[in-house]
Coordinates of all heavy atoms in Angstrom, one line a residue:
M1 N 141.4 204.8 75.2 CA 141.7 203.4 74.6 C 142.3 202.5 75.7 O 143.4 202.7 76.1 CB 142.7 203.6 73.5 CG 142.8 202.4 72.6 SD 143.9 202.7 71.1 CE 142.8 203.6 70.0
P2 N 141.5 201.6 76.2 CA 142.0 200.8 77.3 C 143.0 199.8 76.9 O 143.0 199.3 75.8 CB 140.7 200.0 77.8 CG 139.8 200.0 76.6 CD 140.1 201.3 75.8
Q3 N 144.0 199.6 77.7 CA 145.0 198.5 77.5 C 144.5 197.2 78.2 O 144.3 197.2 79.4 CB 146.4 198.9 77.9 CG 147.4 197.8 77.5 CD 148.8 198.2 77.9 OE1 149.3 198.0 79.0 NE2 149.5 198.7 76.9
I4 N 144.4 196.2 77.4 CA 143.9 194.9 77.9 C 145.0 193.8 77.6 O 145.6 193.9 76.6 CB 142.6 194.5 77.2 CG1 141.5 195.6 77.6 CG2 142.1 193.1 77.7 CD1 140.2 195.5 76.8
T5 N 145.2 192.9 78.6 CA 146.2 191.9 78.4 C 145.5 190.5 78.3 O 144.6 190.2 79.1 CB 147.1 191.9 79.6 OG1 147.8 193.2 79.6 CG2 148.2 190.8 79.5
W6 N 146.0 189.7 77.3 CA 145.6 188.3 77.2 C 146.8 187.5 77.7 O 147.9 187.6 77.1 CB 145.3 188.0 75.7 CG 144.0 188.5 75.2 CD1 142.9 187.8 74.9 CD2 143.7 189.9 74.8 NE1 141.9 188.6 74.4 CE2 142.3 189.8 74.3 CE3 144.4 191.1 74.8 CZ2 141.7 191.0 73.8 CZ3 143.7 192.2 74.3 CH2 142.4 192.2 73.9
R7 N 146.5 186.6 78.6 CA 147.5 185.7 79.2 C 147.2 184.3 78.6 O 146.2 183.7 79.0 CB 147.4 185.8 80.7 CG 148.6 185.3 81.5 CD 148.5 185.7 82.9 NE 147.2 185.5 83.5 CZ 146.8 186.1 84.6 NH1 147.5 186.9 85.3 NH2 145.6 185.9 85.1
C8 N 148.1 183.8 77.8 CA 147.7 182.6 77.0 C 148.3 181.4 77.6 O 149.4 181.4 78.3 CB 148.3 182.8 75.6 SG 147.6 184.3 74.8
A9 N 147.6 180.3 77.3 CA 148.1 179.0 77.8 C 149.5 178.7 77.2 O 150.2 177.8 77.8 CB 147.1 177.9 77.4
S10 N 149.8 179.3 76.1 CA 151.2 179.1 75.5 C 152.3 179.6 76.4 O 153.5 179.4 76.1 CB 151.2 179.7 74.1 OG 151.1 181.2 74.3
G11 N 151.9 180.5 77.3 CA 152.9 181.1 78.2 C 153.2 182.5 77.8 O 153.8 183.3 78.5
K12 N 152.7 182.9 76.6 CA 152.9 184.3 76.1 C 151.8 185.2 76.7 O 150.7 184.7 76.9 CB 152.8 184.4 74.6 CG 154.0 183.8 73.9 CD 154.0 184.1 72.4 CE 154.6 183.1 71.6 NZ 154.3 183.2 70.2
S13 N 152.1 186.5 76.8 CA 151.1 187.5 77.1 C 151.1 188.6 76.0 O 152.2 188.9 75.5 CB 151.4 188.2 78.5 OG 151.1 187.3 79.5
F14 N 149.9 189.1 75.8 CA 149.8 190.1 74.8 C 149.1 191.3 75.4 O 147.9 191.1 75.9 CB 149.0 189.6 73.6 CG 149.6 188.5 72.9 CD1 149.5 187.2 73.4 CD2 150.2 188.7 71.7 CE1 150.1 186.1 72.7 CE2 150.8 187.6 71.0 CZ 150.7 186.3 71.5
S15 N 149.7 192.5 75.5 CA 149.0 193.7 76.0 C 148.7 194.6 74.8 O 149.6 194.9 74.0 CB 149.9 194.4 77.0 OG 150.0 193.6 78.1
I16 N 147.4 194.9 74.6 CA 147.0 195.6 73.4 C 146.1 196.8 73.8 O 145.2 196.7 74.7 CB 146.1 194.6 72.5 CG1 147.0 193.4 72.2 CG2 145.6 195.3 71.3 CD1 146.1 192.2 71.5
D17 N 146.3 197.9 73.1 CA 145.4 199.1 73.3 C 144.3 198.8 72.3 O 144.4 198.7 71.1 CB 146.2 200.3 72.9 CG 147.3 200.7 73.8 OD1 147.2 200.4 75.0 OD2 148.3 201.2 73.4
V18 N 143.1 198.7 72.9 CA 141.9 198.4 72.2 C 141.0 199.6 72.1 O 140.7 200.2 73.1 CB 141.1 197.2 72.8 CG1 139.9 196.8 72.0 CG2 142.1 196.0 73.1
A19 N 140.5 199.9 70.8 CA 139.6 201.0 70.7 C 138.3 200.7 71.3 O 137.8 199.6 71.2 CB 139.4 201.2 69.2
A20 N 137.8 201.6 72.1 CA 136.4 201.5 72.7 C 135.4 201.1 71.6 O 135.4 201.7 70.5 CB 136.0 202.7 73.4
G21 N 134.6 200.1 71.9 CA 133.6 199.7 70.9 C 134.1 198.5 70.1 O 133.2 197.8 69.4
Q22 N 135.4 198.2 70.0 CA 135.8 197.1 69.2 C 135.6 195.8 70.1 O 135.8 195.8 71.3 CB 137.3 197.2 68.9 CG 137.8 196.1 68.0 CD 139.3 196.2 67.6 OE1 140.1 196.8 68.3 NE2 139.6 195.8 66.4
S23 N 135.3 194.7 69.4 CA 135.2 193.4 70.2 C 136.6 192.9 70.6 O 137.5 193.1 69.9 CB 134.4 192.4 69.4 OG 135.3 191.6 68.6
L24 N 136.6 192.3 71.7 CA 137.9 191.8 72.2 C 138.4 190.7 71.3 O 139.6 190.5 71.2 CB 137.8 191.3 73.7 CG 137.3 192.4 74.6 CD1 137.5 192.0 76.1 CD2 138.0 193.7 74.4
M25 N 137.5 189.9 70.7 CA 138.0 188.9 69.7 C 138.7 189.6 68.5 O 139.8 189.1 68.2 CB 136.8 188.1 69.2 CG 137.1 187.0 68.1 SD 137.3 187.7 66.4 CE 135.6 188.0 66.0
E26 N 138.1 190.6 68.0 CA 138.8 191.3 66.8 C 140.1 191.9 67.2 O 141.1 191.7 66.5 CB 137.9 192.4 66.3 CG 136.6 191.9 65.6 CD 135.7 193.0 65.3 OE1 135.8 194.1 65.9 OE2 134.8 192.8 64.4
A27 N 140.2 192.5 68.4 CA 141.5 193.0 68.8 C 142.5 192.0 69.0 O 143.7 192.1 68.5 CB 141.3 193.8 70.1
A28 N 142.1 190.8 69.6 CA 143.1 189.7 69.8 C 143.5 189.1 68.4 O 144.6 188.8 68.2 CB 142.4 188.7 70.7
R29 N 142.5 188.9 67.6 CA 142.8 188.3 66.2 C 143.8 189.2 65.4 O 144.7 188.8 64.8 CB 141.5 188.0 65.5 CG 141.7 187.0 64.4 CD 140.4 186.8 63.7 NE 139.8 188.0 63.2 CZ 138.6 188.0 62.5 NH1 137.9 186.9 62.3 NH2 138.1 189.2 62.1
D30 N 143.5 190.5 65.5 CA 144.4 191.5 64.8 C 145.8 191.4 65.2 O 146.7 191.8 64.5 CB 143.8 192.9 64.9 CG 142.5 193.1 64.2 OD1 142.1 192.3 63.4 OD2 141.9 194.2 64.4
H31 N 146.0 191.0 66.5 CA 147.4 191.0 67.0 C 147.9 189.5 67.2 O 148.9 189.3 67.9 CB 147.4 191.7 68.4 CG 147.2 193.2 68.2 ND1 146.0 193.8 68.0 CD2 148.1 194.2 68.1 CE1 146.1 195.1 67.9 NE2 147.4 195.4 67.9
D32 N 147.2 188.6 66.6 CA 147.7 187.2 66.6 C 147.8 186.6 68.0 O 148.8 185.9 68.3 CB 149.0 187.0 65.8 CG 148.8 187.3 64.3 OD1 147.7 187.0 63.8 OD2 149.7 187.9 63.7
V33 N 146.9 186.9 68.8 CA 146.9 186.4 70.2 C 146.8 184.9 70.1 O 145.8 184.4 69.5 CB 145.8 187.0 71.1 CG1 145.7 186.3 72.4 CG2 146.1 188.5 71.3
D34 N 147.7 184.2 70.8 CA 147.6 182.7 70.8 C 146.3 182.2 71.3 O 145.9 182.6 72.4 CB 148.8 182.1 71.7 CG 150.1 182.4 71.1 OD1 150.2 182.8 69.9 OD2 151.1 182.1 71.8
G35 N 145.7 181.3 70.6 CA 144.5 180.6 71.1 C 143.2 181.3 70.8 O 142.1 180.8 71.1
I36 N 143.2 182.5 70.2 CA 142.0 183.2 69.8 C 141.9 183.2 68.3 O 142.8 183.8 67.6 CB 142.0 184.7 70.3 CG1 142.1 184.8 71.8 CG2 140.8 185.4 69.8 CD1 140.9 184.3 72.5
Y37 N 140.9 182.5 67.7 CA 140.9 182.4 66.3 C 139.7 183.1 65.6 O 139.8 183.7 64.6 CB 140.8 180.9 65.9 CG 141.9 180.1 66.5 CD1 141.7 179.3 67.6 CD2 143.2 180.2 66.0 CE1 142.8 178.6 68.2 CE2 144.3 179.6 66.6 CZ 144.1 178.8 67.7 OH 145.1 178.1 68.2
G38 N 138.6 183.2 66.3 CA 137.4 183.9 65.8 C 137.0 183.4 64.4 O 136.7 184.2 63.5
D39 N 136.9 182.1 64.3 CA 136.7 181.5 62.9 C 135.3 182.0 62.3 O 135.2 182.0 61.1 CB 136.6 180.0 63.0 CG 138.0 179.4 63.3 OD1 139.0 180.1 63.1 OD2 138.1 178.3 63.7
C40 N 134.3 182.3 63.1 CA 133.0 182.7 62.5 C 132.9 184.2 62.3 O 131.8 184.6 61.9 CB 131.9 182.1 63.4 SG 131.6 183.0 64.9
G41 N 133.9 184.9 62.7 CA 133.9 186.4 62.5 C 133.0 187.1 63.5 O 132.7 188.3 63.3
G42 N 132.7 186.4 64.6 CA 132.0 187.1 65.7 C 130.5 186.8 65.6 O 129.7 187.6 66.3
N43 N 130.1 185.8 64.9 CA 128.7 185.5 64.8 C 128.1 184.4 65.8 O 127.1 183.8 65.5 CB 128.4 185.1 63.3 CG 128.6 186.2 62.4 OD1 128.0 187.3 62.6 ND2 129.3 186.1 61.3
L44 N 128.9 184.2 66.8 CA 128.4 183.2 67.8 C 128.2 181.8 67.2 O 127.2 181.2 67.6 CB 127.1 183.7 68.5 CG 127.3 184.4 69.8 CD1 125.9 184.6 70.4 CD2 128.1 183.6 70.8
A45 N 129.1 181.4 66.4 CA 128.9 180.1 65.7 C 130.1 179.2 65.8 O 130.1 178.1 65.3 CB 128.6 180.3 64.3
C46 N 131.2 179.6 66.5 CA 132.4 178.8 66.5 C 133.0 178.5 67.9 O 133.6 177.5 68.1 CB 133.5 179.4 65.6 SG 134.2 180.9 66.3
A47 N 132.8 179.4 68.8 CA 133.4 179.3 70.1 C 134.9 179.2 70.1 O 135.5 178.6 71.0 CB 132.8 178.1 70.9
T48 N 135.6 179.8 69.1 CA 137.1 179.8 69.1 C 137.6 181.1 69.6 O 138.7 181.5 69.2 CB 137.6 179.5 67.7 OG1 137.2 180.5 66.8 CG2 137.1 178.1 67.2
C49 N 136.8 181.8 70.4 CA 137.3 183.1 70.9 C 137.1 183.1 72.4 O 137.0 184.1 73.1 CB 136.5 184.2 70.3 SG 134.7 184.1 70.6
H50 N 137.2 181.9 73.0 CA 137.0 181.7 74.5 C 138.1 182.4 75.3 O 139.3 182.2 75.1 CB 137.0 180.1 74.7 CG 136.9 179.7 76.1 ND1 137.4 178.6 76.6 CD2 136.2 180.3 77.2 CE1 137.1 178.5 77.9 NE2 136.3 179.5 78.2
V51 N 137.6 183.1 76.3 CA 138.5 183.7 77.3 C 137.8 183.4 78.7 O 136.6 183.2 78.8 CB 138.7 185.2 77.1 CG1 139.5 185.5 75.9 CG2 137.4 186.0 77.2
V52 N 138.7 183.5 79.7 CA 138.2 183.4 81.1 C 138.4 184.8 81.7 O 139.6 185.3 81.7 CB 138.9 182.3 81.9 CG1 138.5 182.4 83.3 CG2 138.6 181.0 81.3
V53 N 137.4 185.4 82.2 CA 137.4 186.7 82.8 C 137.7 186.6 84.3 O 136.9 185.8 85.0 CB 136.1 187.4 82.6 CG1 136.1 188.8 83.3 CG2 135.8 187.6 81.1
P54 N 138.7 187.2 84.9 CA 138.9 187.2 86.3 C 137.6 187.7 87.0 O 137.0 188.6 86.6 CB 140.0 188.1 86.6 CG 140.8 188.2 85.3 CD 139.7 188.1 84.3
P55 N 137.2 187.0 88.1 CA 135.9 187.3 88.8 C 135.7 188.8 89.0 O 134.6 189.4 88.9 CB 135.9 186.5 90.0 CG 136.8 185.4 89.7 CD 137.8 185.9 88.8
E56 N 136.8 189.5 89.4 CA 136.7 190.9 89.8 C 136.3 191.8 88.6 O 135.9 192.9 88.7 CB 138.0 191.4 90.5 CG 139.2 191.4 89.6 CD 140.0 190.1 89.7 OE1 139.4 189.0 90.0 OE2 141.2 190.2 89.5
W57 N 136.5 191.3 87.3 CA 136.2 192.0 86.1 C 134.8 191.7 85.6 O 134.4 192.4 84.6 CB 137.3 191.8 85.1 CG 138.5 192.6 85.4 CD1 139.7 192.0 86.0 CD2 138.8 193.9 85.2 NE1 140.6 193.0 86.1 CE2 140.1 194.2 85.6 CE3 138.1 195.0 84.6 CZ2 140.7 195.5 85.6 CZ3 138.6 196.3 84.6 CH2 139.9 196.5 85.1
V58 N 134.2 190.7 86.1 CA 132.9 190.3 85.6 C 131.8 191.5 85.6 O 131.1 191.7 84.7 CB 132.3 189.1 86.3 CG1 130.9 188.8 85.9 CG2 133.2 187.9 85.9
P59 N 131.8 192.3 86.7 CA 130.9 193.4 86.7 C 131.1 194.4 85.5 O 130.2 195.1 85.1 CB 131.1 194.1 88.0 CG 131.7 193.0 88.9 CD 132.6 192.2 88.0
V60 N 132.3 194.4 85.0 CA 132.6 195.3 83.9 C 132.3 194.7 82.6 O 131.7 195.3 81.7 CB 134.1 195.7 83.9 CG1 134.5 196.6 82.7 CG2 134.5 196.5 85.2
T61 N 132.6 193.4 82.4 CA 132.4 192.7 81.1 C 130.9 192.3 81.0 O 130.4 192.1 79.9 CB 133.2 191.4 81.0 OG1 132.9 190.5 82.0 CG2 134.7 191.8 81.0
G62 N 130.2 192.1 82.1 CA 128.9 191.6 82.1 C 128.8 190.1 82.0 O 129.9 189.4 81.9
Q63 N 127.6 189.6 81.9 CA 127.4 188.1 81.8 C 127.0 187.7 80.4 O 126.4 188.5 79.7 CB 126.2 187.7 82.8 CG 126.5 188.1 84.2 CD 127.4 187.1 84.9 OE1 127.7 186.0 84.4 NE2 127.8 187.4 86.1
P64 N 127.2 186.5 80.0 CA 126.8 186.0 78.7 C 125.2 186.0 78.6 O 124.6 185.7 79.6 CB 127.3 184.6 78.6 CG 127.6 184.2 80.0 CD 127.9 185.4 80.8
D65 N 124.7 186.3 77.4 CA 123.3 186.1 77.2 C 123.0 184.7 76.9 O 123.9 183.8 76.9 CB 122.8 187.1 76.1 CG 123.3 186.7 74.7 OD1 123.9 185.6 74.5 OD2 123.2 187.6 73.8
A66 N 121.7 184.3 76.7 CA 121.3 182.9 76.5 C 122.0 182.2 75.4 O 122.5 181.1 75.5 CB 119.8 182.8 76.4
M67 N 122.1 182.9 74.2 CA 122.8 182.3 73.1 C 124.3 182.0 73.3 O 124.8 181.0 73.0 CB 122.6 183.2 71.8 CG 121.2 183.0 71.2 SD 121.1 184.0 69.7 CE 122.3 183.3 68.7
E68 N 124.9 183.0 73.9 CA 126.3 182.8 74.2 C 126.5 181.7 75.2 O 127.4 180.9 75.1 CB 126.9 184.2 74.7 CG 128.4 184.0 75.0 CD 129.0 185.3 75.6 OE1 128.4 186.4 75.5 OE2 130.1 185.2 76.2
D69 N 125.6 181.7 76.2 CA 125.7 180.6 77.2 C 125.6 179.2 76.6 O 126.4 178.3 76.9 CB 124.5 180.8 78.2 CG 124.7 180.0 79.4 OD1 125.7 180.1 80.2 OD2 123.9 179.1 79.6
D70 N 124.7 179.1 75.6 CA 124.6 177.8 74.9 C 125.9 177.5 74.2 O 126.4 176.3 74.2 CB 123.5 177.8 73.9 CG 122.1 177.7 74.5 OD1 122.1 177.4 75.7 OD2 121.1 178.0 73.9
M71 N 126.5 178.5 73.5 CA 127.7 178.2 72.7 C 128.9 177.9 73.7 O 129.8 177.1 73.3 CB 128.1 179.5 71.9 CG 127.3 179.6 70.6 SD 127.4 178.2 69.5 CE 129.1 178.4 69.0
L72 N 128.9 178.5 74.8 CA 130.0 178.2 75.8 C 130.0 176.8 76.2 O 131.1 176.2 76.6 CB 129.8 179.1 77.0 CG 130.3 180.5 76.9 CD1 129.8 181.4 78.0 CD2 131.9 180.6 76.8
D73 N 128.9 176.1 76.0 CA 128.9 174.7 76.4 C 129.7 173.8 75.4 O 130.0 172.7 75.7 CB 127.5 174.1 76.4 CG 126.7 174.6 77.7 OD1 127.4 174.9 78.7 OD2 125.5 174.6 77.7
I74 N 130.1 174.4 74.3 CA 130.8 173.6 73.3 C 132.3 174.0 73.2 O 133.0 173.5 72.3 CB 130.2 173.6 71.9 CG1 130.3 175.0 71.2 CG2 128.8 173.1 71.9 CD1 130.1 174.9 69.7
V75 N 132.8 174.9 74.0 CA 134.2 175.3 73.9 C 135.0 174.0 74.2 O 134.7 173.2 75.1 CB 134.6 176.4 74.9 CG1 133.9 177.7 74.5 CG2 134.3 176.1 76.3
E76 N 136.1 173.9 73.5 CA 137.0 172.7 73.7 C 138.0 172.9 74.8 O 138.7 172.0 75.1 CB 137.7 172.4 72.3 CG 136.7 172.1 71.2 CD 137.4 171.8 69.9 OE1 138.6 172.0 69.8 OE2 136.7 171.5 68.9
T77 N 138.1 174.1 75.3 CA 139.2 174.4 76.2 C 138.6 174.6 77.7 O 139.2 175.4 78.4 CB 139.9 175.7 75.8 OG1 139.0 176.7 75.4 CG2 140.8 175.4 74.5
G78 N 137.6 173.9 78.0 CA 137.2 173.8 79.4 C 136.5 175.1 79.9 O 137.1 176.0 80.4
R79 N 135.2 175.1 79.8 CA 134.4 176.2 80.3 C 134.6 176.3 81.8 O 134.7 175.3 82.6 CB 132.9 175.9 80.0 CG 132.0 177.0 80.5 CD 130.6 176.9 80.1 NE 129.9 178.1 80.5 CZ 128.6 178.3 80.2 NH1 127.9 177.4 79.5 NH2 128.0 179.4 80.6
T80 N 134.6 177.6 82.3 CA 134.7 177.9 83.7 C 133.5 178.8 84.1 O 132.7 179.2 83.2 CB 136.0 178.6 84.1 OG1 135.9 180.0 83.6 CG2 137.2 177.9 83.5
E81 N 133.4 179.1 85.4 CA 132.3 180.0 85.9 C 132.3 181.3 85.2 O 131.2 181.9 85.1 CB 132.4 180.2 87.4 CG 132.1 179.0 88.2 CD 130.6 178.8 88.2 OE1 129.8 179.7 88.4 OE2 130.1 177.6 88.0
T82 N 133.5 181.8 84.8 CA 133.5 183.1 84.2 C 134.0 183.1 82.8 O 134.6 184.1 82.3 CB 134.5 184.0 85.1 OG1 135.8 183.5 85.1 CG2 133.9 184.2 86.5
S83 N 133.8 182.0 82.1 CA 134.1 181.9 80.7 C 133.2 182.9 79.9 O 132.0 183.0 80.2 CB 133.9 180.5 80.2 OG 134.9 179.7 80.6
R84 N 133.8 183.4 78.8 CA 133.0 184.3 77.9 C 133.6 184.0 76.5 O 134.7 183.5 76.3 CB 133.2 185.8 78.2 CG 132.6 186.3 79.4 CD 131.1 186.3 79.4 NE 130.5 186.9 78.3 CZ 130.2 188.2 78.2 NH1 130.4 189.0 79.2 NH2 129.6 188.7 77.1
L85 N 132.7 184.3 75.5 CA 133.2 184.3 74.1 C 133.5 185.8 73.8 O 132.6 186.7 73.9 CB 132.1 183.8 73.2 CG 131.8 182.3 73.5 CD1 130.6 181.8 72.6 CD2 133.0 181.4 73.2
S86 N 134.8 186.0 73.5 CA 135.2 187.4 73.5 C 134.7 188.2 72.3 O 134.8 189.4 72.3 CB 136.8 187.4 73.5 OG 137.4 186.7 72.5
C87 N 134.1 187.5 71.3 CA 133.4 188.3 70.3 C 132.2 189.1 70.8 O 131.7 190.0 70.1 CB 133.1 187.4 69.1 SG 131.8 186.2 69.4
Q88 N 131.8 188.7 71.9 CA 130.5 189.3 72.5 C 130.9 190.3 73.6 O 130.0 190.9 74.2 CB 129.7 188.2 73.1 CG 129.2 187.1 72.1 CD 128.5 187.7 70.9 OE1 127.5 188.4 71.1 NE2 129.0 187.5 69.7
I89 N 132.1 190.6 73.7 CA 132.5 191.7 74.7 C 133.1 192.8 73.9 O 134.1 192.7 73.2 CB 133.6 191.2 75.7 CG1 133.1 189.9 76.4 CG2 133.9 192.3 76.7 CD1 134.2 189.2 77.3
L90 N 132.5 194.0 74.0 CA 133.0 195.2 73.4 C 133.8 196.0 74.4 O 133.4 196.2 75.5 CB 131.8 196.0 72.8 CG 130.9 195.3 71.8 CD1 129.8 196.3 71.3 CD2 131.7 194.7 70.7
A91 N 135.0 196.5 73.9 CA 135.9 197.2 74.8 C 135.2 198.5 75.3 O 134.5 199.2 74.5 CB 137.2 197.5 74.1
T92 N 135.4 198.8 76.6 CA 135.0 200.1 77.1 C 136.2 200.7 77.9 O 137.1 199.9 78.3 CB 133.8 200.0 78.1 OG1 134.3 199.2 79.3 CG2 132.6 199.3 77.5
E93 N 136.2 202.0 78.2 CA 137.3 202.6 78.9 C 137.4 202.0 80.3 O 138.5 201.9 80.8 CB 137.0 204.1 79.0 CG 137.0 204.9 77.7 CD 138.3 204.8 76.9 OE1 139.4 204.5 77.6 OE2 138.3 205.0 75.7
E94 N 136.4 201.5 80.8 CA 136.4 200.9 82.2 C 137.3 199.6 82.2 O 137.6 199.0 83.3 CB 135.0 200.5 82.7 CG 134.2 201.7 83.0 CD 133.7 202.5 81.8 OE1 133.5 201.9 80.8 OE2 133.6 203.8 81.9
M95 N 137.6 199.0 81.0 CA 138.4 197.8 81.0 C 139.9 198.1 81.0 O 140.7 197.1 80.9 CB 138.1 197.0 79.7 CG 136.6 196.5 79.7 SD 136.2 195.7 78.2 CE 134.4 195.3 78.5
E96 N 140.3 199.3 81.3 CA 141.8 199.6 81.4 C 142.4 198.7 82.4 O 142.0 198.7 83.6 CB 141.9 201.1 81.8 CG 143.3 201.5 82.1 CD 144.3 201.4 81.0 OE1 143.9 201.6 79.8 OE2 145.5 201.0 81.2
G97 N 143.5 198.0 82.0 CA 144.2 197.2 83.0 C 143.7 195.7 83.1 O 144.2 194.9 83.9
M98 N 142.6 195.4 82.4 CA 142.0 194.1 82.6 C 142.9 193.0 82.0 O 143.6 193.2 81.0 CB 140.6 194.0 81.9 CG 139.9 192.7 82.0 SD 138.2 192.8 81.5 CE 138.3 192.9 79.7
V99 N 143.0 191.9 82.7 CA 143.8 190.7 82.2 C 142.9 189.6 82.0 O 142.1 189.2 82.9 CB 144.9 190.4 83.2 CG1 145.7 189.2 82.7 CG2 145.8 191.6 83.5
L100 N 142.9 189.0 80.8 CA 142.1 187.8 80.5 C 142.9 186.6 80.3 O 144.1 186.7 79.9 CB 141.3 188.1 79.2 CG 140.5 189.3 79.1 CD1 140.0 189.6 77.6 CD2 139.2 189.2 80.0
D101 N 142.4 185.5 80.7 CA 143.1 184.2 80.4 C 142.6 183.5 79.2 O 141.4 183.5 79.0 CB 143.0 183.3 81.7 CG 143.9 183.8 82.8 OD1 145.1 184.0 82.6 OD2 143.3 184.0 83.9
V102 N 143.5 183.0 78.4 CA 143.1 182.2 77.2 C 143.5 180.8 77.5 O 144.6 180.4 77.5 CB 143.8 182.7 75.9 CG1 143.3 181.9 74.7 CG2 143.6 184.2 75.7
P103 N 142.4 179.9 77.8 CA 142.8 178.5 78.1 C 143.3 177.8 76.9 O 142.9 178.1 75.8 CB 141.4 178.0 78.6 CG 140.4 179.1 78.6 CD 141.0 180.2 77.8
G104 N 144.1 176.8 77.2 CA 144.6 175.9 76.1 C 143.8 174.7 76.0 O 143.0 174.3 76.9
A105 N 143.9 174.0 74.9 CA 143.2 172.8 74.6 C 143.7 171.7 75.5 O 144.9 171.7 75.9 CB 143.2 172.4 73.2
Ligands
FES1 S1 134.2 184.4 67.0 FE1 132.9 182.7 66.7 S2 131.8 182.6 68.6 FE2 133.2 184.3 68.9

């Protein structure tokens, strides 16, 4: 069960043990991580689960597919080169120690 940390624009950090296979949006929402809302329930329709993945972790998380890429264009919190919608990232053991940034509006 990898431990993943969300570093939020609010200044708070949340370190959560996430079950392999669970989406990072669900894990964050279950623990009230600041700035992660998941309004659409993970259906790629809201973009309220935006995170920025440190470049060194991109090989582990992978890249967004075309639909996610389109949705990333509407995030309100400033898309970056390594932005992802966290409902589309499923936890794996290889994510142990990963730190994600949650941009603020
Ligand atoms: S939860 Fe809506 S796009 Fe991720």
Side-chain angles (χ1 to χ4, degrees):
M1 193 177 278
Q3 185 175 83
I4 298 171
T5 297
W6 283 255
R7 200 165 42 195
C8 303
S10 65
K12 289 191 210 163
S13 286
F14 298 79
S15 292
I16 302 169
D17 294 325
V18 184
Q22 186 177 32
S23 89
L24 301 192
M25 177 279 285
E26 289 172 341
R29 198 177 56 179
D30 289 351
H31 292 82
D32 296 322
V33 171
D34 291 350
I36 299 291
Y37 304 104
D39 290 342
C40 76
N43 291 311
L44 262 187
C46 70
T48 63
C49 60
H50 179 208
V51 294
V52 174
V53 177
E56 65 270 27
W57 285 99
V58 170
V60 176
T61 61
Q63 300 280 352
D65 65 16
M67 281 183 62
E68 182 184 343
D69 191 64
D70 284 347
M71 284 299 293
L72 280 163
D73 285 337
I74 68 162
V75 295
E76 295 178 359
T77 48
R79 181 177 185 172
T80 74
E81 285 288 313
T82 59
S83 285
R84 292 293 309 271
L85 295 177
S86 58
C87 65
Q88 301 303 302
I89 305 173
L90 302 183
T92 66
E93 297 297 339
E94 290 71 34
M95 293 176 185
E96 171 64 35
M98 182 166 71
V99 180
L100 302 169
D101 286 306
V102 183

